Amino acid sequence: MKKFFNYVLAYLFLVVTSVLGFYVIFFEGRRFFFTVLGLTNARVQTINAVDKFVVIVLGIAFLGFFIFSESYFRKKVESSMKDLLRAVLTVSGILMFVWAGFQAPFFFSVGYKLGLPEIIIYLLKLIGGSLLIFVSSRYLKNEYLHSV
């Protein structure tokens, strides 16, 4: 029964990280490319063509992310719940870094005035991603991995 609960929890974590990944990859990634194209003064026809291509590429990227996460969580749940939690925090931290990376052109483009709340939110994403990865690597590490 405990193993069944662990697998249910692993797939629940997969759903949560997939929703976050879908938002980051599709919405923020697509907005990133629109921002970059806007900074280059591209024509409308170019933007439409690049948008269609970007949607396909981001779809493939999300599919790869989903398959990787599912396999990674399934392997970690077989070893222990601590390893599963570590995997979830690591994947979530990486997604936070990708999210901050996709938003970088908004904050570093010429002529964009940053308000204090925008700076704080952007820095919180970087700090949150760092903390998630730090906690997963420092406090949830498996002692058996480092005893060899």
Side-chain angles (χ1 to χ4, degrees):
M1 187 66 176
K2 184 178 179 184
K3 193 168 208 143
F4 175 75
F5 175 72
N6 290 350
Y7 275 102
V8 169
L9 200 58
Y11 282 101
L12 181 67
F13 286 146
L14 177 66
V15 168
V16 170
T17 56
S18 294
V19 168
L20 178 63
F22 184 83
Y23 174 76
V24 168
I25 290 172
F26 273 109
F27 293 112
E28 295 296 330
R30 194 165 176 223
R31 194 167 76 166
F32 167 78
F33 285 106
F34 277 129
T35 303
V36 170
L37 287 172
L39 291 173
T40 61
N41 296 324
R43 294 183 329 184
V44 175
Q45 294 86 0
T46 306
I47 292 174
N48 286 337
V50 170
D51 180 43
K52 289 178 175 88
F53 178 73
V54 163
V55 167
I56 292 170
V57 170
L58 292 176
I60 292 169
F62 175 73
L63 184 62
F65 166 76
F66 183 80
I67 291 171
F68 166 76
S69 296
E70 194 270 334
S71 172
Y72 190 50
F73 292 167
R74 195 167 15 95
K75 286 178 185 173
K76 293 298 179 179
V77 78
E78 291 170 358
S79 57
S80 72
M81 184 56 72
K82 190 185 231 185
D83 287 343
L84 174 64
L85 185 58
R86 182 178 177 199
V88 169
L89 291 177
T90 302
V91 169
S92 299
I94 291 170
L95 280 174
M96 294 291 281
F97 279 130
V98 170
W99 190 358
F102 278 151
Q103 289 185 340
F106 295 106
F107 300 117
F108 301 118
S109 62
V110 177
Y112 188 81
K113 304 271 191 276
L114 284 177
L116 185 61
E118 293 168 328
I119 293 172
I120 291 172
I121 290 171
Y122 184 74
L123 291 176
L124 282 177
K125 288 174 190 162
L126 291 174
I127 292 169
S130 300
L131 283 176
L132 287 172
I133 291 175
F134 178 75
V135 167
S136 70
S137 65
R138 179 79 176 154
Y139 295 110
L140 294 174
K141 65 182 176 184
N142 193 346
E143 295 82 19
Y144 299 112
L145 292 176
H146 302 290
S147 62
V148 176

